[in-house]
Amino acid sequence: MIVIGAGKASAAMAQAVERNWSGSLSGLVVTRYGYAVPCKQIEIVEAAHPVPDAAGMHAAQRMLDLVGHLSSDDMVLCLISGGGSALLPLPAKGLTLDLKQHVSRALLASGATISEMNCVRRHLSAIKGGRLAAASYPAQVLTLLISDVPGDRPVDIASGPTVADATTSADALSIVRRYGIELPPAVLDLLESGRGESVKPGDPRLARARTVTIATPQMALEAAAAVARDAGIAAHILSDAIEGEAKDVGKVFAGIAHQVAERSQPFAAPCVLLSGGETTVTVRGSGRGGRNVEYLLSLAIALEGHGRIHALAGDTDGVDGQEEIAGAYLSPDSLERAQALGLKPKDMLGNNDAHRFFGALGDSVITGPTLTNVNDFRAILIE
């Protein structure tokens, strides 16, 4: 069996395959720098995320080469998790890695949703949008997915390298124009010409490809709820698919938390409110960004130091934005301590500088590589 894959959890997945498969294995998996784990039969390669690099590009080409000459008797096991889009940056014909990096940076700063970003990525790629499975035909392809996207849509997890894509180059162009992203001429030409079209539903090359989702954000939230209930605290899952501008989501959640604390609606305290999903940050300032800390700082400002409300927010992969920081913790006295340090929360939020805010308080949450990725995790504890 040939094992291939990409994502922040893919190396840990490959290790699990080796431990549980009795037959012979070979293959190649690419993960983020620092996320490799020892494997004996499956080669593990590390590459850059979220802005791609040459290591990821070369790994993607090697994967296509591995599956390009298989027969109907062969089996391909594909291990896909969040982060795979950046880790498989093989440019479509006519593009370069430099151009892909340019577009990646622009998308990350635009405020586009993960689904929108991945739509654009699929139409600039030589491996995403079903192309990896198409290259494996006529071999059987089984993809195991760990979801990091709202809705758990396979086409949005690592931009769907082994699944059909119903979106078009025209859809990608519409997204680019909606967010005012200026594209280099070669990229614009590829999209306008339709040469970047992905593999569509009904394509016979995908007839022997199937996917199984093995872990999701909802599963993570249910596990967290069980921990809370074991501690005697009522737990309520609000949603596993929250999207929107991070600072706006923070304001909304502050309103909900305040209503619980002061009105016992829609739940009575003590309780914990849990949510997942993936918010966005439109970077306008000179700060370091980070959607979880931006959400948390907005929440803090709106709560105005409420004495019975605590919160935690972080990315389950251990990286919030482009920082090696998972997220942060908010306590009832966070704003008071910030004032004593001369920090200005509203100014720092406007400058996309929430990482510096929580770092100055000593309240950053740093986990290191978690070797998994089921999107953002948010908890609000109301005493």
Side-chain angles (χ1 to χ4, degrees):
M1 183 169 68
I2 295 175
V3 180
I4 56 176
K8 297 171 187 173
S10 61
M13 295 168 79
Q15 188 182 68
V17 169
E18 287 195 347
R19 288 173 176 170
N20 292 278
W21 183 260
S22 58
S24 63
L25 294 171
S26 64
L28 171 68
V29 162
V30 58
T31 192
R32 190 179 192 269
Y33 288 120
Y35 283 61
V37 297
C39 287
K40 296 180 180 179
Q41 301 176 75
I42 303 166
E43 182 181 356
I44 307 297
V45 173
E46 292 181 310
H49 178 282
V51 177
D53 68 358
M57 181 179 69
H58 295 318
Q61 183 59 63
R62 288 181 59 199
M63 273 185 216
L64 285 181
D65 295 341
L66 276 174
V67 302
H69 304 285
L70 301 178
S71 72
S72 58
D73 295 327
D74 292 313
M75 171 75 180
V76 176
L77 179 63
C78 190
L79 310 175
I80 296 294
S81 62
S85 287
L87 295 167
L88 292 175
L90 191 62
K93 187 176 181 180
L95 300 186
T96 65
L97 178 61
D98 286 345
L99 291 173
K100 294 270 290 195
Q101 290 171 330
H102 173 89
V103 174
S104 179
R105 291 188 184 97
L107 286 169
L108 289 167
S110 70
T113 67
I114 187 62
S115 178
E116 291 170 328
M117 286 193 284
N118 285 350
C119 176
V120 176
R121 289 164 169 163
R122 286 194 296 272
H123 293 92
L124 304 178
S125 174
I127 195 169
K128 303 182 183 85
R131 294 176 180 88
L132 181 56
S136 303
Y137 183 81
Q140 182 179 350
V141 179
L142 172 62
T143 302
L144 302 183
L145 299 171
I146 293 181
S147 173
D148 72 324
V149 296
D152 304 327
R153 295 176 295 272
V155 74
D156 284 330
I157 303 169
S159 297
T162 61
V163 297
D165 173 30
T167 67
T168 65
S169 293
D171 294 325
L173 270 173
S174 177
I175 292 166
V176 166
R177 289 166 178 158
R178 184 180 311 142
Y179 290 96
I181 298 172
E182 292 189 13
L183 295 179
V187 177
L188 186 61
D189 177 67
L190 181 75
L191 294 178
E192 289 180 337
S193 68
R195 296 195 314 275
E197 221 36 274
S198 50
V199 180
K200 301 306 176 196
D203 192 300
R205 294 172 296 172
L206 302 186
R208 303 195 70 205
R210 69 186 184 101
T211 63
V212 178
T213 303
I214 60 173
T216 65
Q218 178 66 20
M219 292 166 66
L221 294 174
E222 289 174 358
V227 170
R229 290 166 187 150
D230 287 345
I233 301 170
H236 306 286
I237 297 174
L238 302 183
S239 173
D240 70 337
I242 299 292
E243 296 183 272
E245 192 73 21
K247 60 185 179 182
D248 295 334
V249 174
K251 290 179 184 178
V252 172
F253 275 53
I256 295 171
H258 193 272
Q259 190 73 4
V260 172
E262 300 302 324
R263 301 280 187 259
S264 296
Q265 296 174 332
F267 313 111
C271 67
V272 62
L273 309 179
L274 301 171
S275 65
E278 184 163 337
T279 60
T280 53
V281 173
T282 303
V283 179
R284 296 187 173 91
S286 60
R288 292 141 57 194
R291 60 183 184 262
N292 286 287
V293 289
E294 186 141 322
Y295 153 85
L296 206 58
L297 181 52
S298 176
L299 180 79
I301 293 168
L303 287 175
E304 298 180 327
H306 193 289
R308 293 185 287 114
I309 300 177
H310 306 250
L312 177 76
D315 197 316
T316 54
D317 62 17
V319 180
D320 190 28
Q322 300 186 50
E323 295 288 328
E324 302 299 317
I325 299 170
Y329 163 69
L330 173 69
S331 66
D333 67 348
S334 291
L335 292 184
E336 181 181 350
R337 289 187 288 125
Q339 184 178 11
L341 293 173
L343 302 177
K344 297 180 179 180
K346 291 182 179 179
D347 290 348
M348 297 179 80
L349 181 62
N351 195 38
N352 305 117
D353 208 10
H355 269 306
R356 188 166 68 89
F357 177 88
F358 289 106
L361 295 179
D363 289 339
S364 297
V365 174
I366 302 173
T367 63
T370 63
L371 309 182
T372 190
N373 186 10
V374 285
N375 222 322
D376 296 340
F377 173 83
R378 294 178 291 268
I380 301 175
L381 174 65
I382 303 155
E383 295 180 312

